[in-house]
Amino acid sequence: MNFVVPDFYPAAAEIFVAVMALVIMLASTFARSVARNLAYLLTQATLIAAAFITIFTMEGEVVHTFSNLFISDLLGDVLKLMIYFSTAIALLYGRGYLADRKIDKPEYYLLALLMTLGMMVMVTANHMLPMYIGLEMMSLALYTMVAFDRDSARSTEAAMKYFVLGALASGLLLYGMSMVYGATGTLEFSGVAQALYNQTANQTVLMFGVVFLVAGICFKLGVVPFHMWVPDVYQGAPTAVTLVIATAPKLAAFAMAVRLLIWALFDIAEEWQMMLMLVAAASIVLGNLAAIAQQNIKRMLAYSGISHMGFMLLGLLAGVVEGDRHFALNAYSSAMFYAISYVIMSLASFGMLILLSRAGFEAENIDDFKGLNKRSSWYALMMLFVMFSMAGVPFFIGFFAKLSVLQAVVAAGYFWLAVLAVVMSVIGAFYYLRVVKVMYFDEPVDSSPIHAAPEVRVMLSANGLAIAALGLAPQALMSLCAFALLRSL
Amino acid sequence: MSDMKAIYLLVPLAPLAGAILAGLFGKQIGRAGAHVVTILGVAIAFVASLFIYQDVAAGNTFNGTVYTWMQAGGIDFEVGFLIDSLTVMMMLVVTFVSLMVHIYTIGYMSEDPGYQRFFSYISLFTFSMLMLVMSNNFLQLFFGWEAVGLVSYLLIGFWYERPTAIYANMKAFLVNRVGDFGFLLGIGLVAAYAGSLDYAEVFAKAKELSVTEMAVTGWPLLTAICICLFIGAMGKSAQVPLHVWLPDSMEGPTPISALIHAATMVTAGIFMVARMSPLFELSDTALSFVLVIGATTALFMGFLGIVQNDIKRVVAYSTLSQLGYMTVALGVSAYSAAVFHLMTHAFFKALLFLGAGSVIIGMHHDQDMRNMGGLRKYMPITWITSLLGSLALIGFPFFSGFYSKDSIIEAVHSSTIAGSGYAMFCVLLGVFITAFYSFRMYFLVFHGDERFGKAHDHAHHDHHGDHDDEEPSADHHHGLAPGQKPHESPWVVTLPLVLLAVPSVLIGFFTIDPMLFGEWFKGVILVGDNHVGLRELAANYHGPVGMAIHGLQTAPFWLAMGGVALAWFFYMKRPDIPAAIQRTFKPIHTLLENKYYFDRFNEIFFAAGARLLGRGLWKAGDQALIDGVAVNGSARLVGWVAQMSRLFQTGHLYQYAFMMIIGVFVLLTYWFNRG
């Protein structure tokens, strides 16, 4: 076998981020005070530069390289851009929080960059192995980041739980991959799809494998019953890290679901759609109900995230109806739109928690939002946007996200699922509106003014306004999702 | 045709623009700015209406859509215009009277803090009324119908610090709701059975509808539609028993009493029935219903005018009675006579109201006729115009009211429809009553002793009956100080009086030929072959002069003269007689004072009944069932489930892992059981 020099060009962004990770590792050896700022600035610069590289290397068509291990397509490019974007904002929000707690070590930014690289690899994987490697790269970085406040018992406990359960989930995923390999004889997504098309795969083994694959994906998305880590980790991790976990990795998990289920297993879509349906319904019900009982807003947002991911799955499971694939593009783009909207809302919600926290004080209970309107009516308004949007009030982005997945579900004929989802989101509106209620109608328990760096204020305001603006004009983002999928399928 | 469409659009939109400017930017443009923009808007509408009138007179009518709002269930919801002779006549009346009232308001409201708001409202009213009359479909008709109702509500309660005004506007609103309910049912029946809301399409199906029976009940469909629509008209045009709101609406400022509660809005019901003549013609039952209601209103509301002491209320009851006349005309298929009377009445009743308003200004907002008298020499213009208006109202030959009212009476006379005998009695006696109360007012206000300037204790409020314990707010009811003399009103007030007096006197003479006996309403108003309508009258008609000379020999004229003479005798010669009669016929007087106890009945039966029902539904339905079981019950259930779900989140790692394994297991078994 001859060694062929692969085409590096489509992977330029990944290579750049990897090199920069090494540079930052070197930079962290400088004196602490310098390294801290240097690492942060280098990380942000890397993310911005990676965004430019991704834009300039965008082909608009599907390109394979590295012996078909790597795929470059518009879907991947859009998701990567969203990942840089949300990671950069998350680091921007979290910087002051980490500094207040003296845990803003340069390694934190290194880990964040490695996590980004892992996600990029996941997004561009065309083969089960790079998918798995990317997943582990992301997860290991995240485990470490959760435990970053190593003197906090809660953080280390959360990290431990996350690690053990994550390892279990990885095991399930690997097991599933091996089964699929056994059934089809290949790990490459297009090869798997081809084998399914030719009907040469052993159905029993294949299905066995698919169940495990779905379990692995569901763990990363954090949906019932693989959600148990979500509330504990969200609560235990430092809020800045929770912010990271709750945003970009969801996009990576979405990419994993799309690549594994749609790229590789589209021919048996109706089989995994049934599994996703169970999981989605359970997540929407449990997520919304359990969130009501929470006093801790991080846990509340964790359960809300579970239900949101359930909603996102509604889009994925509505693609094929009785062999008819007409709905696919619409359904999958609604899921993608949902995932992106969720990330934007999630950034703002945890960003607000960070804004209210300060040295020696963690804003993590709903009571901490009491009377926010009196303390700062502007941020109360921003939080109102976020909560209304998450509850699905028209005309915020969350409304259109819910509307589009529900349309997909109804088009596919699953009326019961749509009705269930609507009923549960009405119930869910309660806990979002409770936050609004305490902000506007309760007396503040703590009336200290809000301190935050100017860039955080500006970005958080922009984030909140984006939720409103995208709600007024959702069409562009929706079309982008549909276009990216259309050009990549 | 498209250039005319722009002019059609201009007619309602110009007043709307004025209303928006005066309403939203009233502070910025100031008082003068507010009246300039609104008067300009209405003047543009009037001029455009004149232009359209010429176009229509030349034979160009229009029926088309300008905007489609939505389509649902095979029915188009549109904004469209139907421009024909009936529409253009209404447009002219509405814009002309509105323009007069706008100008008048400058003087009447000059000291009111809500000046800009008032102008905004009356312009908005003009817009709504124009949308109503120009509509070519039921939806827009209903929009205009509700919009004029809304503005009426806002204007009755214009002085919102006064409890009586709030009471009155609430009453008007609620009573109109009853009528609108019927109206909406009627429109719903039309939409359900005709499958369209467009007039032309519905009229084309009228024959088909007239032989249809309603599902379940088996009622004749067209009769049900007509009666439902007429119930709407009863609310808006204040027919018994839904008339109770109109006298109370006098709580609003006088200019709107003239514009809305006399000249235009209250005639919307008459207009609507005339517009629907192709439907009503096919149902004798509905026509008889209309006739009886109208006749009752014409006579019995006239009686109430006799006992009123508030100058505006006398005019208000006379409006009720005249609306009754128009309704009677509708009932005997003399639609064109009804619309003709509507037009003449709009002019002379607006004149009388504005005259009353001028008197009220002169009396410094004292409205009690017992405190007036002899105003003739202080307010000459008001005096002469009011006299002309009163003569028009009682139907003195050659005056416009004569032509319209006499035509109605003759039409009733020749009608054979059930109830026409009763109606004939009512309208004839009504002529006498009208003349009596009109000239009672005229003599009390303009002739006799000067009774103003004496100390008096706001006695003009004591006849309100149901709310006479409420303190009238002092700033609007101060009256003249002792020794002070009334004075003539400024030119902005008297100019509209003069401009309205001209048509009040002349318009009947000049328009009776085309409107009643000519071709003007041909193809717009339909009279079935089985109804006499105005045909018999037309056969005996020999021009307006001949009609007036003939009128001198007929019963209505002598009845009217008798009424005038009696009023003169009672109130000029022997003021002791009315008092004696009042003592002798105490029960009847009490009955009239209390307006036949309609208000009392409504309050005890409907208001209290509705409250009782509401309370019952609130306690049993809302608190027990909806709140208790549905809302709180489901909330408790959700809360319980939420608490349960927390129990699963133990914090133990092995249980979390166990859950995941269970999850995989469930998915596996589920799939393998499916086969």
Side-chain angles (χ1 to χ4, degrees), chain B residues 394-434:
Chain B
I394 67 168
F396 195 80
F398 294 106
F399 282 75
S400 62
F402 163 77
Y403 292 105
S404 52
K405 198 188 276 184
D406 232 40
S407 308
I408 292 174
I409 294 169
E410 288 299 321
V412 177
H413 185 63
S414 57
S415 172
T416 53
I417 197 166
S420 55
Y422 167 70
M424 188 66 201
F425 164 76
C426 288
V427 293
L428 271 182
L429 190 53
V431 171
F432 175 76
I433 301 294
T434 306

Side-chain angles (χ1 to χ4, degrees), chain B residues 171 174-176 178-179 230-231 233-247 289 292-294 296-297 300-301 320 595-599 601-602 606:
Chain B
K171 187 166 167 185
L174 290 177
V175 173
N176 269 298
V178 178
F230 182 66
I231 288 173
M234 282 163 67
K236 193 107 315 187
S237 292
Q239 299 295 300
V240 173
L242 299 179
H243 66 284
V244 290
W245 64 273
L246 187 61
F289 180 72
V292 170
I293 294 282
T296 309
T297 309
F300 288 89
M301 292 303 114
L320 281 172
K595 298 166 253 170
Y596 308 114
Y597 294 98
F598 266 116
D599 283 335
F601 176 77
N602 284 345
F606 287 116

Side-chain angles (χ1 to χ4, degrees), chain A residues 102-156:
Chain A
K102 309 260 183 298
I103 47 174
D104 57 337
K105 303 191 178 97
E107 291 82 358
Y108 179 82
Y109 301 107
L110 174 63
L111 286 168
L113 206 58
L114 288 171
M115 172 197 80
T116 311
L117 181 60
M119 291 193 280
M120 292 164 76
V121 171
M122 284 169 81
V123 167
T124 51
N126 190 36
H127 190 278
M128 302 233 183
L129 272 183
M131 177 63 76
Y132 180 71
I133 290 169
L135 177 69
E136 284 305 298
M137 198 164 184
M138 173 187 87
S139 302
L140 286 169
L142 279 175
Y143 303 147
T144 324
M145 283 161 82
V146 172
F148 216 71
D149 192 4
R150 62 187 180 194
D151 295 332
S152 156
R154 229 170 44 169
S155 289
T156 43

Side-chain angles (χ1 to χ4, degrees), chain B residues 544-560:
Chain B
V545 180
M547 184 174 173
I549 290 169
H550 175 73
L552 291 173
Q553 311 157 19
T554 54
F557 174 71
W558 293 108
L559 282 169

Side-chain angles (χ1 to χ4, degrees), chain B residues 352-407:
Chain B
L352 282 173
F353 255 117
L354 296 184
S358 175
V359 168
I360 292 169
I361 302 174
M363 294 295 296
H364 286 208
H365 292 272
D366 184 353
Q367 307 187 0
D368 194 328
M369 296 193 297
R370 286 170 300 188
N371 299 329
M372 300 174 185
L375 292 183
R376 186 164 61 118
K377 58 182 177 195
Y378 302 106
M379 310 180 76
I381 300 174
T382 309
W383 164 66
I384 191 78
T385 51
S386 295
L387 176 61
L388 293 174
S390 300
L391 286 172
L393 171 61
I394 67 168
F396 195 80
F398 294 106
F399 282 75
S400 62
F402 163 77
Y403 292 105
S404 52
K405 198 188 276 184
D406 232 40
S407 308

Side-chain angles (χ1 to χ4, degrees), chain B residues 598-625:
Chain B
F598 266 116
D599 283 335
R600 194 69 62 80
F601 176 77
N602 284 345
E603 237 165 63
I604 291 171
F605 189 76
F606 287 116
R611 272 201 294 268
L612 199 70
L613 183 70
R615 216 181 152 70
L617 287 175
W618 170 49
K619 286 276 182 207
D622 208 52
Q623 284 201 325
L625 204 67

Side-chain angles (χ1 to χ4, degrees), chain A residues 142-195:
Chain A
L142 279 175
Y143 303 147
T144 324
M145 283 161 82
V146 172
F148 216 71
D149 192 4
R150 62 187 180 194
D151 295 332
S152 156
R154 229 170 44 169
S155 289
T156 43
E157 185 193 329
M160 182 53 98
K161 280 181 189 163
Y162 192 18
F163 176 65
V164 172
L165 294 177
L168 181 59
S170 291
L172 293 175
L173 188 72
L174 272 181
Y175 192 55
M177 286 176 175
S178 69
M179 287 284 176
V180 172
Y181 181 67
T184 62
T186 176
L187 285 170
E188 198 190 305
F189 296 153
S190 42
V192 173
Q194 192 59 43

Side-chain angles (χ1 to χ4, degrees), chain A residues 352-365:
Chain A
M352 283 299 300
L353 286 181
I354 289 178
L355 183 81
L356 294 187
S357 303
R358 55 182 180 273
F361 174 73
E362 291 283 345
E364 56 175 15
N365 288 320

